[in-house]
Each structure stands twice: as C-alpha cells, then as structure tokens.
Amino acid sequence: MKPSQLFASLICALGLIGSVVAQAQTVLKIGYTATNDSHYGTAANVFGEELVKRTNGRYKLQQFPSSALGGEREMVEAVQLGSQDMVITSTGPVGNFVPDTRVFDIPFLFRDYAHARKVLDGPIGNEVLAKFPAKGLVAVTWLENGFRHITNNKQPITGPENLKGMKIRTMENKVHMEAFKALGALPTPMAMNELFTSLQQGTVDGQENPIPVILSNKLYTVQKYLTLDGHVYSPALLLMSESAWGKLSEADKKAFLEAAKIALAANRKRVNDDEVKGIAIIKGAGVRVVDKVDIARFQTAVAPAYTVYAKEFGADRIKKIQDVK
Ligand code: EAX
C-alpha cells in the first residue's frame, strides 16, 4: 500500500473512532410509581426528549414506570447507592433521607397550587434542594404530585368523625401519619406497589392520593367513596445519583437543568388537566364523590399534630411558608 493510501486510511479510521466516541450514548435508567400515561410519565417523556435534543443524543432515558423498579423508598435508596440513575418520587419517603423536605408534607400548609408552586420555585424551595448532596443525592428539580384526597370503601367521609378507626394507607411518612392519627384514623404506611391489592383485599379501608395518581394507578376501580378534602399538597422530585451526575460536563449539567425546567412545566400542566377531567372519570366509574367538605373541621381536628410539627420544624418556619403570597 502506498504511503499516501496508508495515511488516508489512517485519517479515515481516526475520523471513524472520533465520531463513534462523540456519538457514544449514555442510557440513564429512571423509575417511578405511576404509569407512563400520567403526570410523572409526562415529566419523564419531556425530560427525555429535551435531553436527547440538548445533548445531540449523547444522553437518553430508559423508563421504568408503574413501580417496575420497586416502591419510592426503595428507588430513592437505589439512587443514593448509585445502582439506579434517576427516580421521580413524591416527597413521601424522601424525608427519611433528607429530613428538610418533611416541612412541605404538613397538611393544610399551602392554600392552593399557586402558593405551593411559588414556595417551591423560590428561595425556600431552593434551600431544601441544596440539602440533598450532603445525603448522597442530587435533586435536579421539584416536580408535582398534587393535592391529596381521601378515598375509602366504608362510608362517605364528610367530616373527621367519619375517619374514626378507619385503616388508611399512608406513604412511609411520619408527618402524614401524625396527621391521620390526630384525625382518629389508623394510619398504615405502605409502598405504592402494594396499595392496589391491599385495597382490593380490604387489608386497608382507604388511602389518600392526588387525582393524577388515583387516575393513573386506577385506584378508583377498587374504592367506593372519594372526599375532595385536599388535606395536603404533595410535592415530587426528580432525583439523580451522585455518580451519574458527577460524570456530566458543566455544559451537560446545564442541559439537564434546562430540560428539567421544561419537564416541570409539562408535569404541572398535566396535573391541572387531570384535576379538570379526573372527577368525571371517577364519578363515571361509580365512585360516590363528596365535594362539599368543611375543611375548617379537618384543620381543627388536625391541630394537635401541629404542636408536634412546630417542635420539629419551628413555628416561625411554618409561618414563613404560610405567609408567602
Ligand atoms: O408519588 O405513594 C404514593 O401515594 C405517591 O403519591 C405515589 O407513589 C406517587
């Protein structure tokens, strides 16, 4: 082979290697408990599309919806260990890893979606996101689960008295359990992937979740009553393992954060849409919906739990969040 031909094929080979290296794709595993056709699936789909666009295909997601990788606590643990790259999770079990998130799980803390979103998108929310690295986790962005409502198979719940002695599944979250105890119920912490069967078999009488989850996980097919009490706002999070985040260049970290912002907007829009169309679907399935609820009576009944919260989080901090306009 002539030296010029040898040189030309060497250049080609190097070029080829170069483009292969450039195009090497990293596939990131992401898990969540809702289906793909949900507020979480919307966030994952949009995040994934934006990642591919902003990194020229060098990063893409492999999704594991419907608890395929286990419950939320299990998945957060796996992300902390680095055996899973990413998770979309409610703050439900996250307080066990990053206690600072628990303050947002206080019932009746937020007036409405605008209030909650303003707090999470602001300095108070950012301050909490900054606590995650110290616990071996990267909080890429807040996401949204929604305001939680109670469903059950025993009786229509129009006031706290109806909850007396009722076995209500809660997330693995001591703030929520404190509240349901104060309401007279028997809080039963359980991972999401055990819930549907437990309701079907009557292991628990009821549960509480936002409309998007009641729809996505078809909980309305195994419950007779829904009370729209909106007793607590449920934030969610997009978390990433330190090992996967640590491998990103500064430019790619910026791309991930930009993609996350767009995913958050899509996630919140889906929550809004589910709230609008969800009640009709649930009623259509024969569930009796209680939509006239005297919230003040629930707030009064839960007041003893607030004494515990004030001790744990500080009454000033709680008031600071409540006062955000
Ligand atoms: O994050 O476990 C729950 O009730 C959560 O709301 C659900 O997994 C979505």
Side-chain angles (χ1 to χ4, degrees):
M1 188 188 269
K2 283 200 225 117
S4 58
Q5 287 167 321
L6 191 61
F7 183 68
S9 44
L10 196 62
I11 296 296
C12 286
L14 284 174
L16 199 63
I17 293 166
S19 69
V20 170
V21 171
Q23 286 309 311
Q25 185 168 62
T26 304
V27 178
L28 297 167
K29 287 189 168 61
I30 185 167
Y32 49 93
T33 57
T35 59
N36 181 258
D37 179 15
S38 73
H39 56 326
Y40 286 177
T42 300
N45 294 342
V46 172
F47 183 65
E49 286 152 19
E50 289 298 322
L51 268 196
V52 168
K53 230 191 298 177
R54 291 161 189 276
T55 66
N56 299 323
R58 286 179 293 106
Y59 286 92
K60 76 172 233 184
L61 295 185
Q62 183 183 8
Q63 299 191 35
F64 295 85
S66 307
S67 303
L69 299 178
E72 291 185 335
R73 185 182 45 69
E74 254 175 295
M75 288 193 279
V76 174
E77 222 161 63
V79 170
Q80 196 180 39
L81 293 170
S83 57
Q84 182 178 322
D85 304 309
M86 306 190 88
V87 60
I88 294 176
T89 175
S90 71
T91 49
V94 174
N96 304 315
F97 301 85
V98 184
D100 289 271
T101 59
R102 283 197 178 116
V103 70
F104 297 135
D105 295 326
I106 293 175
F108 305 111
L109 178 71
F110 296 110
R111 296 179 300 276
D112 51 31
Y113 279 105
H115 178 202
R117 292 169 182 175
K118 184 149 191 188
V119 169
L120 294 180
D121 295 348
I124 298 173
N126 292 333
E127 199 188 296
V128 173
L129 292 183
K131 304 276 180 178
F132 280 73
K135 307 294 180 182
L137 291 159
V138 176
V140 182
T141 183
W142 289 107
L143 288 172
E144 186 163 80
N145 196 11
F147 276 96
R148 303 176 79 92
H149 306 288
I150 306 170
T151 65
N152 84 94
N153 277 334
K154 291 274 178 199
Q155 60 176 331
I157 295 172
T158 53
E161 63 285 355
N162 304 125
L163 275 165
K164 291 254 169 311
M166 211 183 262
K167 282 183 87 173
I168 297 287
R169 177 267 177 180
T170 66
M171 295 189 286
E172 295 143 299
N173 182 295
K174 70 173 192 168
V175 176
H176 288 185
M177 291 169 70
E178 198 67 53
F180 278 94
K181 224 170 37 188
L183 289 165
L186 303 172
T188 310
M190 184 190 288
M192 187 69 197
N193 48 351
E194 297 162 37
L195 179 54
F196 191 91
T197 317
S198 302
L199 291 168
Q200 223 171 14
Q201 294 171 350
T203 317
V204 288
D205 303 317
Q207 65 89 43
E208 43 86 55
N209 249 297
I211 299 295
V213 176
I214 295 172
L215 288 178
S216 130
N217 294 63
K218 300 218 175 321
L219 300 178
Y220 62 88
T221 61
V222 285
Q223 294 277 262
K224 294 192 186 112
Y225 308 103
L226 163 65
T227 295
L228 297 173
D229 67 330
H231 54 274
V232 68
Y233 174 81
S234 186
L237 287 150
L238 173 60
L239 300 179
M240 191 164 177
S241 70
E242 273 201 325
S243 50
W245 178 259
K247 290 191 191 110
L248 302 179
S249 68
E250 286 313 309
D252 285 339
K253 282 179 181 164
K254 194 163 162 289
F256 272 60
L257 294 172
E258 286 165 2
K261 240 201 185 80
I262 299 169
L264 171 60
N267 155 251
R268 286 176 173 168
K269 182 178 177 316
R270 177 63 191 250
V271 170
N272 294 345
D273 296 348
D274 281 356
E275 293 243 335
V276 171
K277 70 169 203 263
I279 307 296
I281 294 170
I282 294 169
K283 273 186 185 161
V287 174
R288 178 148 157 220
V289 177
V290 178
D291 49 14
K292 303 230 170 350
V293 184
D294 182 350
I295 298 296
R297 288 178 54 221
F298 282 87
Q299 289 171 316
T300 309
V302 98
Y306 261 73
T307 324
V308 179
Y309 303 147
K311 273 205 204 90
E312 179 164 357
F313 306 110
D316 302 354
R317 182 137 196 266
I318 296 172
K319 189 164 180 326
K320 193 174 159 207
I321 295 170
Q322 289 171 324
D323 290 350
V324 171
K325 293 277 176 297

